[in-house]
Amino acid sequence: MKKETVRTIKARKGKEKLVMITAYDALFAKLFAPFVDMLLVGDSLNMSFAGRKDTLSATMDQMLYHTKAVCAGAPQSFVIFDMPYGSYTDPTTALQNAIRVYQESDADAIKLEGGEEKAPIVKHLVQNGVAVMGHIGLLPQHVRGEGGYKVVHDQNRLLRDAQALEEAGVFALILEGVKATLAKDITDSVSIPVIGIGAGTDVDGQVLVWSDMLGLFEEFKPKFVKKYCEGARLVKEAVQRYADEVKSAQFPDKDHSY
Ligand code: KIV
């Protein structure tokens, strides 16, 4: 498998759709790697793995721990580090933290949330050799400020955000929680790939949170999540069977004993 680069990803604009999925550990990263173009170590891990109510309490140390594991499990994958809340409040802080990402892990790029107001930060990072993916539309790190997760309808704002980030130098954009028709307009307005999540099909690729699409995360399910597997049910059935067999002394049997 040939590893994607910023150049090969940008070249996919308007061509073959880009496939992206989150990954939080080596075991699953290795399973996902052959089928996807990019692995995102998303701060969504703070909810599905760390059991917190939103992504805001994720830290650099926590994200680095998971990123190192993902890079170890999938060394041939293009891995993106999701900058946690508070780690990119100004250009200097953002660069210091991005340097940490490159020095302490093998991540290929970082992702940060926000639109035109983040353009000066993105520009500073790109000028210093950091590959940056943008994230506009519904911003999970703004959930407390916004009072919930809401679909974004403001076309002018989204167009300004996409264009400002492209000018600042992002190599691709995530567009989250936007009606399909509007997502198409945003996608057509820039020359970099737009990866949708809850943004319909007229974009350059898709990303999903792995524990959502495998049906493992049961707290809530956004409308845009398609479950490709009944993960929670399968796991519960397997563990139930194991527990039953331990109690009835059916396990271990002869085949599983020395
Ligand atoms: O943290 C994450 O998993 C993300 C995706 C929702 C794109 O940012």
Side-chain angles (χ1 to χ4, degrees):
M1 190 176 82
K2 199 154 179 292
K3 185 168 174 154
E4 298 291 341
T5 64
V6 163
R7 217 159 347 110
T8 60
I9 290 164
K10 282 172 93 170
R12 294 271 286 277
K13 174 77 185 174
K15 301 203 177 95
E16 192 194 355
K17 301 264 190 200
L18 287 156
V19 185
M20 182 166 164
I21 191 170
T22 63
Y24 310 143
D25 61 33
L27 183 70
F28 279 90
K30 190 173 179 179
L31 291 173
F32 303 154
F35 309 102
V36 301
D37 300 302
M38 290 177 270
L39 293 174
L40 169 67
V41 187
D43 61 357
S44 50
L45 65 82
N46 201 48
M47 298 167 75
S48 47
F49 261 45
R52 305 297 294 269
K53 68 173 181 166
D54 57 34
T55 61
L56 274 69
S57 53
T59 65
M60 282 297 295
D61 285 346
Q62 184 187 353
M63 295 303 296
L64 277 163
Y65 168 84
H66 287 278
T67 302
K68 285 183 222 176
V70 168
C71 292
Q76 284 302 103
S77 290
F78 188 92
V79 175
I80 301 156
F81 177 99
D82 203 6
M83 297 288 274
Y85 181 66
S87 67
Y88 54 97
T89 45
D90 58 82
T92 307
T93 308
L95 183 58
Q96 273 165 358
N97 282 318
I99 288 171
R100 254 196 96 185
V101 173
Y102 277 173
Q103 287 183 338
E104 295 180 34
S105 81
D106 291 325
D108 298 283
I110 61 116
K111 170 173 92 61
L112 53 82
E113 294 184 12
E116 63 176 342
E117 78 290 352
K118 290 289 186 300
I121 295 173
V122 170
K123 197 166 177 190
H124 187 59
L125 291 170
V126 173
Q127 280 171 346
N128 282 279
V130 182
V132 184
M133 174 177 271
H135 183 157
I136 61 171
L138 188 162
L139 305 179
Q141 290 180 4
H142 287 204
V143 62
R144 297 190 204 177
E146 296 282 334
Y149 300 102
K150 299 193 183 94
V151 173
V152 177
H153 299 284
D154 188 340
Q155 174 165 28
N156 291 335
R157 174 74 212 250
L158 287 169
L159 284 170
R160 280 203 312 275
D161 286 344
Q163 283 157 12
L165 290 176
E166 178 176 20
E167 267 168 41
V170 298
F171 68 93
L173 266 181
I174 286 191
L175 181 61
E176 178 164 1
V178 174
K179 274 180 78 169
T181 45
L182 179 49
K184 179 178 176 359
D185 293 343
I186 308 301
T187 304
D188 290 345
S189 77
V190 289
S191 59
I192 46 169
V194 174
I195 316 290
I197 174 163
T201 193
D202 287 327
V203 287
D204 301 301
Q206 299 289 334
V207 58
L208 278 178
V209 171
W210 76 270
S211 40
D212 289 343
M213 59 86 75
L214 293 184
L216 286 161
F217 186 68
E218 292 185 294
E219 306 311 310
F220 60 89
K221 189 189 90 58
K223 178 177 162 65
F224 61 80
V225 171
K226 180 168 176 182
K227 274 199 212 174
Y228 285 85
C229 165
E230 290 294 332
R233 185 171 56 74
L234 293 174
V235 169
K236 285 180 201 171
E237 281 172 7
V239 179
Q240 172 79 70
R241 222 168 48 241
Y242 166 64
D244 290 347
E245 289 188 9
V246 169
K247 286 178 192 156
S248 63
Q250 278 175 279
F251 177 82
D253 55 15
K254 272 210 318 288
D255 290 346
H256 300 94
S257 300
Y258 294 110

